[in-house]
Amino acid sequence: MQESLTCWSVFEMYEEQVRAIYPESKAKRVINEFRCATLRFWLSQLGFTRATSGRKMTKAESEAAKEFLKSLRVEVLLSARQTIQQAFQSQKASIASQNTYGNRFNQFLSWSEQQQWWPARGSRRARVKQQSCPSMKNPYGHTSNTPLTERRTVHQKYTLKPQDTPAPLQKELDDFYQYLTDPECPFRVIDPISELSALEYTKNIRLMLGWFCYHRTPPIALEQLRLSHLISVLRQEDLEHLNSKEQAKLWKQHRQTLEIWLCSYFRFLREVLHSKSPSTKRNKLGALLELAKFLYTSEVEEEADYKQIPLFKALNNHLSSVRKDISEWVKNRQSVSDFEKKWPDTAEGETALEVVRTKIVEPLRLECRPRNSRGRFRSGFAIAKSYQDYLKWSLLADIPARRQQEYRTLRIALICPVKRPESVPPDGLYQPLPPAQVREKHWDGTIKDNYLYFTYVHEKKPYPQGVWVLDIQQYKTRSTHGGQSIVVPNRQLADGSCFYDYLEGYLYGSWICDGYKNRQVYDWWQPELKGQRGRWVTSGRTEFNPLDTFYLSTDANSPKWLWGYVFVLPRLGIGASASEFGCSFESTSHRFIGKRISPHMMRYFWATWAYQVGLDDAQTRSLAYAMGHKVETLRKLYERCTPEEKRRPIEEVIEELLFKQPPSPELKQEANTQPESLLAQLQKLSPLEREQLMAMLDMLDK
């Protein structure tokens, strides 16, 4: 059969398969999109020429295309993925067209590769090679081989841990946290803050309390320690019996006590912990200022009254000084860590973002293949981890990088209602966004969780193939930019696969029609694989035995919604902390290029890329919004172009406009004689040569 098999015969078989597995309406749409991908794009790259340029082919053109397909042997399909990509580029197809028609053509090729007639099927070596990932080498060793700071000693952990905190002090800390976050707090004159900010303040307070116990000279006994050791409190009744001079003297004593321990603590940070960043001091002072507001709540009637309290004046003076230091650090691009060890090495004209995408993200994608470099099947756990690594990097390198906290806390629904919504096709993938009434909320009713979900209608726009969406409702600058709903693009990749293939392989598992063990029949959500024999090479996220969490609505009539974190820790099955999430990026980047790139560094790469490629103001503002901050923040804080890159545009203009050498008198004389010489040469041309020359000039004009 393969002797006489042509592309036309194969297409007929595929279309019959589509009609058999899809409802009539969907089958018609699938076939139309497949034919468009084939006739409009793929055949044009193989030499088929249409008589018209319209999008719809005439009947005569369709018949000519059919005859052309009958002349093509199935071996041409071996390079079809590369061919259609070349067709997209030569015809300058839009991203939407590439995704729609590329995905449809890729589905056909995936089906073809499982058929007995597929040309490469007899070559097991070729199949194994396609399924094998590169050798996973680690030439740079552990990340500890590339220290980011000058510190060579073990970092001292001196915080006062909750289990060591005396009950009275713990009660004070709980009251402080409630004061910061509770929407209705009596006598408070400041606005409540987010739970994340409150946790950051209490973390710094615990650090200072730990210093008082373990490092201060003389130390304070743990059982005696109270918040008033950090900020002493003078009530109005303590001052009533004193005259103004005595009051000033008492305030001075308390201010001196604060200044002495604070300077001693900052010296400890600098000399013992080798902490040089002014941002560290700012964080401690900010926490102390909030603590002082809490302790002096009963002494003020409005926020402006705090400024009249001497201890607040002392803290604000320190803050004013440290802000100047921070401004100098930002201006001079100064950093505690060595940026050279976090910034990729780039060639002339190459951006850091490009290096990350080509030398880290793409190799990670290739490592998702089911076999190792020797052709043996990898464990399902290892494949799932490769999927996770690739997805995490792709979400920060292929779309504008948002804060890592959004991806670290990203959730996904693990159950859904039995009744399928009308918008979901009968055979379509269903991965819902939980209804608002069962999602986690702030005290004011606003949603405070982030979800990944799959839908066929987004922002009232239909997506017949469906799209994955990031519903981001909880992030640092939400009060400024509001919640964001981000469609994850399903870009087609170099080998014809698409981003969604990897995302769904991670979430649901990956099937392969190959191998000799566990031969099963596929019967899940991918219709092109139904009935095929093969094996599951990984169960995806389930390989990590995730420990998921229930969230139950207070409404008795609402169902339970089980959810879990998208990116759980592979070994533990729980959500990652900020440090654990960041370390996974650093270890991966160090393995490939010897640099320790954190998720936050990706924001620097995007901001610098915007300057290097010359985005205009509107594009830059759009990028800043997509990253979740203001354009001023992008330009002032994150952009890291070199001085040479910043000077190059004006230097080139100066050379062009101010120092362009005028032509010499000899060149002017030669230029004046050129028209006469050219006219003489034209007169010597024959009529045919003149006609050919005019045709060439017309072509150049066009």
Side-chain angles (χ1 to χ4, degrees):
M1 179 179 177
Q2 190 168 340
E3 291 286 336
S4 59
L5 200 61
T6 66
C7 287
W8 175 252
S9 303
V10 169
F11 287 1
E12 285 186 314
M13 287 190 289
Y14 178 66
E15 291 183 3
E16 285 299 318
Q17 174 76 4
V18 169
R19 294 187 185 96
I21 62 177
Y22 289 118
E24 182 179 356
S25 59
K26 184 172 182 178
K28 184 177 180 181
R29 186 181 76 248
V30 170
I31 291 173
N32 287 338
E33 290 174 351
F34 167 63
R35 288 180 177 178
C36 186
T38 302
L39 305 180
R40 182 180 166 193
F41 293 102
W42 184 61
L43 282 190
S44 66
Q45 200 65 24
L46 297 177
F48 176 72
T49 305
R50 293 178 54 188
T52 62
S53 58
R55 294 184 63 183
K56 189 173 182 180
M57 299 181 71
T58 64
K59 185 176 180 180
E61 286 177 327
S62 298
E63 288 298 320
K66 176 180 176 180
E67 294 301 319
F68 190 85
L69 285 168
K70 289 181 178 180
S71 68
L72 297 177
R73 302 290 293 271
V74 292
E75 284 77 11
V76 75
L77 297 177
L78 292 172
S79 59
R81 285 191 170 90
Q82 293 78 10
T83 305
I84 198 167
Q85 286 300 313
Q86 294 167 358
F88 287 146
Q89 294 174 6
S90 63
Q91 297 188 34
K92 298 180 179 179
S94 66
I95 297 298
S97 294
Q98 292 186 43
N99 288 337
T100 300
Y101 301 123
N103 291 348
R104 195 61 71 195
F105 195 72
N106 186 55
Q107 289 175 359
F108 158 71
L109 291 175
S110 298
W111 171 83
S112 299
E113 289 168 350
Q114 310 306 323
Q115 308 307 309
Q116 292 293 334
W117 50 261
W118 181 251
R121 190 171 183 85
S123 174
R124 184 177 182 276
R125 180 179 295 180
R127 294 199 314 276
V128 170
K129 185 177 181 180
Q130 290 176 352
Q131 299 167 0
S132 300
C133 64
S135 177
M136 298 182 185
K137 298 178 180 179
N138 187 8
Y140 302 98
H142 194 267
T143 53
S144 59
N145 296 337
T146 309
L148 297 178
T149 65
E150 297 176 356
R151 183 192 295 126
R152 294 297 179 266
T153 57
V154 177
H155 183 70
Q156 294 191 33
K157 297 181 179 180
Y158 64 98
T159 188
L160 180 62
K161 298 178 181 180
Q163 60 267 30
D164 299 329
T165 307
L169 179 57
Q170 184 61 53
K171 175 65 167 54
E172 290 184 337
L173 287 169
D174 293 341
D175 291 343
F176 175 50
Y177 179 83
Q178 185 176 4
Y179 163 85
L180 293 173
T181 58
D182 197 332
E184 286 85 26
C185 182
F187 309 113
R188 187 185 61 199
V189 296
I190 61 174
D191 294 331
I193 63 175
S194 70
E195 294 171 357
L196 288 175
S197 298
L199 288 172
E200 188 66 22
Y201 285 138
T202 53
K203 183 188 78 171
N204 280 296
I205 295 299
R206 282 189 172 277
L207 284 168
M208 288 180 275
L209 290 170
W211 176 80
F212 265 85
C213 287
Y214 311 130
H215 295 280
R216 183 177 180 269
T217 304
I220 295 179
L222 185 59
E223 292 301 323
Q224 299 175 358
L225 189 61
R226 298 293 182 270
L227 293 181
S228 57
H229 283 100
L230 302 182
I231 300 292
S232 58
V233 181
L234 280 178
R235 306 294 182 193
Q236 188 62 36
E237 54 266 28
D238 299 328
L239 302 171
E240 286 178 348
H241 65 284
L242 303 176
N243 60 39
S244 59
K245 188 175 181 179
E246 291 172 330
Q247 289 181 9
K249 183 179 179 180
L250 185 59
W251 274 120
K252 184 177 181 179
Q253 292 174 354
H254 283 271
R255 180 168 177 171
Q256 286 177 341
T257 301
L258 172 64
E259 293 278 2
I260 290 171
W261 84 254
L262 198 56
C263 290
S264 180
Y265 176 60
F266 287 157
R267 189 180 303 112
F268 164 78
L269 293 178
R270 185 179 68 255
E271 296 178 357
V272 178
L273 299 187
H274 306 286
S275 175
K276 302 176 182 178
S277 172
S279 297
T280 301
K281 294 174 67 175
R282 179 194 58 190
N283 295 340
K284 311 302 185 203
L285 290 167
L288 282 174
L289 194 60
E290 295 302 313
L291 177 62
K293 292 178 182 179
F294 163 64
L295 294 176
Y296 279 88
T297 300
S298 62
E299 305 303 308
V300 297
E301 294 184 0
E302 56 185 29
E303 188 172 3
D305 294 342
Y306 283 126
K307 295 181 180 179
Q308 306 307 316
I309 301 175
L311 296 185
F312 283 81
K313 293 179 181 179
L315 291 173
N316 283 322
N317 287 340
H318 278 284
L319 275 170
S320 178
S321 175
V322 80
R323 286 183 184 124
K324 291 180 181 178
D325 294 338
I326 291 174
S327 179
E328 286 296 316
W329 276 53
V330 172
K331 186 189 304 180
N332 298 322
R333 296 291 190 256
Q334 197 170 347
S335 174
V336 172
S337 59
D338 188 348
F339 249 71
E340 287 297 318
K341 296 177 181 178
K342 299 190 290 183
W343 200 274
D345 297 325
T346 57
E348 181 68 26
E350 189 177 38
T351 68
L353 185 59
E354 291 171 339
V355 172
V356 167
R357 295 186 69 250
T358 57
K359 295 187 177 181
I360 298 177
V361 182
E362 178 60 14
L364 282 174
R365 186 181 72 83
L366 297 179
E367 287 186 356
C368 294
R369 293 174 176 174
R371 298 178 187 267
N372 61 24
S373 58
R374 292 175 293 177
R376 296 177 181 175
F377 277 109
R378 302 164 64 204
S379 70
F381 180 94
I383 298 172
K385 187 176 184 306
S386 294
Y387 274 131
Q388 187 188 85
D389 290 339
Y390 167 65
L391 293 174
K392 287 194 297 188
W393 275 91
S394 180
L395 288 172
L396 289 172
D398 293 340
I399 59 178
R402 299 184 64 84
R403 295 174 181 84
Q404 62 126 318
Q405 177 258 344
E406 299 170 31
Y407 294 118
R408 180 169 55 83
T409 61
L410 191 64
R411 301 178 180 185
I412 192 166
L414 300 179
I415 62 172
C416 61
V418 174
K419 185 177 179 181
R420 183 182 293 264
E422 294 181 1
S423 61
V424 179
D427 57 345
L429 173 65
Y430 182 36
Q431 181 69 59
L433 177 69
Q437 62 265 28
V438 299
R439 294 180 65 178
E440 195 171 352
K441 299 180 181 68
H442 293 285
W443 61 268
D444 61 356
T446 56
I447 296 173
K448 70 168 186 177
D449 54 27
N450 302 321
Y451 266 89
L452 174 69
Y453 71 101
F454 191 79
T455 184
Y456 294 87
V457 179
H458 180 257
E459 302 290 348
K460 299 182 180 180
K461 180 181 178 181
Y463 290 87
Q465 307 300 320
V467 287
W468 284 96
V469 179
L470 295 167
D471 188 60
I472 307 298
Q473 301 294 334
Q474 172 72 1
Y475 64 104
K476 184 177 180 180
T477 55
R478 187 190 185 281
S479 60
T480 301
H481 300 290
Q484 295 192 21
S485 186
I486 306 166
V487 173
V488 180
N490 187 26
R491 295 188 177 97
Q492 190 165 25
L493 306 169
D495 59 359
S497 61
C498 299
F499 179 76
Y500 286 6
D501 296 335
Y502 297 87
L503 177 57
E504 292 164 10
Y506 170 68
L507 293 176
Y508 310 126
S510 182
W511 173 275
I512 186 172
C513 299
D514 203 351
Y516 303 103
K517 296 180 180 179
N518 303 325
R519 298 286 287 186
Q520 302 170 329
V521 177
Y522 185 91
D523 187 24
W524 214 23
W525 89 97
Q526 293 174 288
E528 66 272 13
L529 293 178
K530 286 186 177 180
Q532 299 287 343
R533 287 191 171 274
R535 59 178 292 188
W536 289 99
V537 292
T538 179
S539 56
R541 177 181 172 278
T542 308
E543 296 280 355
F544 307 144
N545 296 317
L547 304 174
D548 300 310
T549 306
F550 272 107
Y551 181 81
L552 180 61
S553 170
T554 55
D555 183 356
N557 297 321
S558 297
K560 290 182 178 180
W561 280 82
L562 182 66
W563 63 267
Y565 290 113
V566 173
F567 297 118
V568 294
L569 289 172
R571 299 291 179 187
L572 302 177
I574 59 176
S577 67
S579 61
E580 290 166 334
F581 196 79
C583 285
S584 70
F585 278 79
E586 288 193 21
S587 60
T588 301
S589 62
H590 193 264
R591 175 163 67 93
F592 284 109
I593 62 175
K595 304 290 184 177
R596 293 177 60 174
I597 300 175
S598 66
H600 194 68
M601 282 298 297
M602 295 301 302
R603 296 167 69 77
Y604 287 94
F605 298 160
W606 276 95
T608 305
W609 171 83
Y611 185 94
Q612 291 170 323
V613 300
L615 297 187
D616 61 29
D617 186 67
Q619 292 168 333
T620 304
R621 291 185 180 278
S622 178
L623 173 62
Y625 172 80
M627 292 172 65
H629 56 226
K630 297 179 180 179
V631 68
E632 292 76 17
T633 303
L634 184 144
R635 289 169 172 163
K636 182 179 179 181
L637 184 61
Y638 289 111
E639 178 265 302
R640 288 272 174 164
C641 287
T642 64
E644 292 78 9
E645 288 174 320
K646 291 184 176 182
R647 290 183 58 85
R648 185 179 299 128
I650 189 60
E651 289 176 347
E652 291 176 350
V653 171
I654 290 173
E655 290 296 326
E656 175 68 21
L657 300 181
L658 296 182
F659 292 92
K660 186 176 181 180
Q661 294 294 330
S664 63
E666 293 79 7
L667 289 176
K668 285 185 177 180
Q669 179 66 28
E670 182 180 345
N672 291 335
T673 60
Q674 281 181 354
E676 298 178 1
S677 174
L678 180 60
L679 180 60
Q681 294 180 35
L682 289 174
Q683 290 174 344
K684 295 179 181 179
L685 296 177
S686 67
L688 179 59
E689 289 173 332
R690 292 179 189 175
E691 185 177 339
Q692 292 174 344
L693 178 61
M694 292 301 295
M696 290 176 60
L697 292 174
D698 289 340
M699 187 180 300
L700 290 174
D701 285 340
K702 295 178 181 179

